[in-house]
Amino acid sequence: MIGLVDCNNFYVSCERVFNHKLNGRPVGIMSNNDGCIIARSEELKALGIEMGTPAHQVRHLVDRGEIVLHSSNYELYGDMSHRVQGILERETAGVEPYSIDEMFVRMDGFDPEALLEHAKSLHRMIRRGTGIPVCVGVAATHTLAKLANRIAKKHPGYPGVCILHAESDEAKHLLKQIEVGDVWGVGRRLNERLQILGINTAWDLREADAKRLRRKFSVNMERTVLELRGISCLKMNDVNEPRQRIMTSRSFGRPTSQLYDLQGAIRQHAQRGAEKLREQKSLARAVLVFLKTDRFRPDLPQYSPSLAVEMERPSQDTRDILHAAQEALRKIYRPKYGYKKAGVMLIDLTDENRQQLSLMDTPQTEEERQRSQKLMATMDALNEKMGKGTVRLGLPEKNAPWHLRCANRSPRYTTNWDELMVAYTDEGAAKKKKVAMQPHGY
């Protein structure tokens, strides 16, 4: 059996763990640069505020104190996700992360009663251990587990936990209530085409001719039909499988036309990309740099160049990647444009243990390679211990245009020592008192 553990309103829940004043209030989390609402509490949904609503459109509600908007705090969310995953790894036979707030788990070897009790135990344990509310759906396949999780979240008869047996009358009854568009892998256009064929519910799709749907759509549609019947066809991607390319990019807090500002942004992205490259034990043969102007300002000149620069030899050394990235930037930069976004992509990746050595290599070349590996390992170890960005190449830049706007970001309670241990307990904040900042009430 396969379980899906889904964190409810994950970003909002992370904020509420450390700030109980947000409980019961309409809360939204904004995207990078405080642009749009990307996560909503149930209270905010009830007000009719849609996903993706521009933050400025509801600013009057914030000013009146009717809703609360927070800047995204991905360091906090990522750490809380790891905590949830740690509990699952300890309590289950295997974990397959699907997203930051969803994880598939192996739940084989239980009889029906023990399986239900184990699912309920996970539900309680994660809430008690992290403060994050979750729903648990269990079934024989990934697709059915997704539907079981949806039922656990939305159906009042299944408070937080649902076990769905493919051949049961209960499954038939529930699948008849679920629209086909809510089945995992059925998008909006595919939903419309299926409805034209008279397939309106998940049960209709389960009972459809799988071979016919394969001919009309694709093999993935056939697999979805079989998965709804309890026949496992889908295999999750291995989370440890190396990526074929690594990209780091971000929109700027405000546009800039200055080469110096762009160099700072590219330097940051190149260093982060090199860290990811070393994490998966790969080498890059080439570095691609791209720039973008603001496409939402058609009244301004538009220019979106990109250029790939091949390195002398495959490398994971931050210095080599930075040199190639800055070379590409100098070649594509034009001063008259206002740039809104920049990024670095590491391409043509290869395993560090399978690199092709050059006939021109010498003993000195191997010594340089070993020194490079030791230096990068030391940098990574220091950043892991002391915090991301503690050791970097280049001077730190404050208030650079490419920094994100995040005026309403909460403290990084779990990743910053000062914010973890120091709380302002007096109303005037004139006096500091050291307290252990723990999730309240759990």
Side-chain angles (χ1 to χ4, degrees):
M1 298 290 280
I2 298 170
L4 176 65
V5 178
D6 183 14
C7 303
N8 300 340
N9 303 318
F10 180 59
Y11 291 175
V12 173
S13 295
C14 289
E15 301 286 351
R16 284 175 167 173
V17 167
F18 296 95
N19 184 358
H20 268 211
K21 293 180 180 179
L22 300 178
N23 287 346
R25 299 195 63 190
V27 180
I29 307 299
M30 295 178 287
S31 62
N32 288 340
N33 291 313
D34 294 349
C36 302
I37 296 175
I38 58 171
R40 302 166 295 161
S41 67
E42 294 300 325
E43 296 83 0
L44 193 65
K45 295 175 184 177
L47 294 178
I49 297 177
E50 300 291 335
M51 184 74 80
T53 299
H56 69 84
Q57 292 185 3
V58 294
R59 186 60 58 186
H60 62 289
L61 298 178
V62 176
D63 295 339
R64 294 203 299 258
E66 296 181 18
I67 68 173
V68 178
L69 293 184
H70 271 281
S71 304
S72 51
N73 190 343
Y74 293 113
E75 288 83 359
L76 174 64
Y77 309 151
D79 186 70
M80 295 299 287
S81 177
H82 286 308
R83 294 181 182 209
V84 172
Q85 183 175 340
I87 293 174
L88 293 175
E89 288 176 344
R90 187 174 68 244
E91 300 296 331
T92 66
V95 180
E96 297 173 314
Y98 178 62
S99 66
I100 193 171
D101 62 343
E102 291 181 273
M103 299 170 197
F104 288 103
V105 295
R106 303 299 311 181
M107 300 184 70
D108 298 321
F110 293 94
D111 60 49
E113 290 186 5
L115 181 62
L116 178 60
E117 187 54 40
H118 184 55
K120 290 181 177 179
S121 175
L122 290 178
H123 181 265
R124 293 191 300 268
M125 197 174 299
I126 294 171
R127 182 62 187 264
R128 184 172 62 249
T130 67
I132 302 295
V134 301
C135 287
V136 182
V138 183
T141 68
H142 290 88
T143 303
L144 279 177
K146 288 279 283 187
L147 290 179
N149 188 280
R150 179 182 178 84
I151 293 166
K153 183 176 293 186
K154 297 183 177 296
H155 200 293
Y158 300 83
V161 176
C162 175
I163 297 179
L164 204 59
H165 297 283
E167 299 300 329
S168 66
D169 292 337
E170 178 187 28
K172 179 178 180 179
H173 173 71
L174 291 169
L175 293 183
K176 285 184 176 181
Q177 299 178 41
I178 298 174
E179 296 181 0
V180 69
D182 292 328
V183 175
W184 190 30
V186 178
R188 180 179 60 83
R189 292 184 179 180
L190 193 54
N191 177 29
E192 294 172 353
R193 296 176 65 188
L194 288 171
Q195 289 188 10
I196 292 174
L197 298 176
I199 300 175
N200 299 303
T201 67
W203 180 258
D204 294 337
L205 184 58
R206 180 193 189 279
E207 294 298 293
D209 187 332
K211 296 297 183 183
R212 174 171 172 257
L213 291 181
R214 174 175 179 163
R215 291 192 299 269
K216 191 169 186 63
F217 297 102
S218 68
V219 66
N220 290 330
M221 178 55 66
E222 179 187 27
R223 290 171 179 166
T224 298
V225 173
L226 296 177
E227 285 253 325
L228 290 173
R229 297 174 184 173
I231 303 171
S232 183
C233 300
L234 302 180
K235 183 178 179 181
M236 296 299 299
N237 294 328
D238 185 357
V239 70
N240 296 315
E241 183 179 347
R243 287 168 286 184
Q244 299 303 307
R245 62 188 55 148
I246 293 175
M247 185 175 77
T248 53
S249 67
R250 189 165 286 175
S251 298
F252 300 161
R254 61 182 187 274
T256 180
S257 60
Q258 301 300 313
L259 178 61
Y260 177 80
D261 294 331
L262 296 174
Q263 287 173 332
I266 293 299
R267 183 164 55 245
Q268 183 188 55
H269 295 325
Q271 291 186 76
R272 182 61 189 130
E275 291 173 356
K276 293 180 180 180
L277 191 68
R278 293 191 290 272
E279 286 175 5
Q280 71 171 37
K281 302 185 184 304
S282 296
L283 305 172
R285 295 190 179 94
V287 179
L288 182 144
V289 172
F290 67 86
L291 303 173
K292 291 183 182 295
T293 51
D294 191 346
R295 62 188 180 92
F296 297 106
R297 290 291 305 276
D299 56 310
L300 299 177
Q302 299 294 311
Y303 178 54
S304 300
S306 64
L307 180 67
V309 172
E310 185 177 359
M311 292 186 286
E312 183 177 347
R313 61 174 62 90
S315 177
Q316 57 180 206
D317 191 310
T318 299
R319 296 168 297 176
D320 296 335
I321 293 169
L322 270 175
H323 179 76
Q326 296 293 0
E327 178 184 348
L329 174 62
R330 285 192 297 270
K331 291 181 177 179
I332 63 176
Y333 168 71
R334 300 291 183 272
K336 64 179 181 179
Y337 297 98
Y339 299 99
K340 184 65 175 175
K341 185 175 184 178
V344 174
M345 182 184 295
L346 307 182
I347 56 179
D348 201 1
L349 307 188
T350 183
D351 192 304
E352 67 176 5
N353 297 318
R354 299 179 183 177
Q355 60 175 310
Q356 181 67 48
L357 301 180
S358 170
L359 293 174
M360 306 302 292
D361 282 353
T362 65
Q364 289 75 23
T365 304
E366 181 59 27
E367 290 178 5
E368 291 176 5
R369 186 180 292 114
Q370 291 179 3
R371 283 198 298 269
S372 168
Q373 291 175 345
K374 290 180 181 179
L375 176 60
M376 294 300 108
T378 302
M379 286 180 57
D380 292 341
L382 287 171
N383 285 328
E384 176 69 23
K385 181 178 181 179
M386 307 301 294
K388 186 174 66 175
T390 300
V391 180
R392 56 176 171 242
L393 303 182
L395 296 174
E397 302 171 60
K398 294 185 177 180
N399 300 319
W402 48 269
H403 286 170
L404 289 175
R405 292 196 307 271
C406 49
N408 300 293
R409 175 178 286 167
S410 59
R412 299 171 185 174
Y413 300 103
T414 63
T415 58
N416 185 296
W417 180 254
D418 291 333
E419 291 170 347
L420 177 67
M421 297 302 295
V422 179
Y424 291 87
T425 54
D426 59 325
E427 292 184 1
K431 179 181 178 183
K432 292 181 180 179
K433 179 179 179 182
K434 290 189 175 182
V435 295
M437 199 71 172
Q438 297 294 336
H440 303 284
Y442 300 104

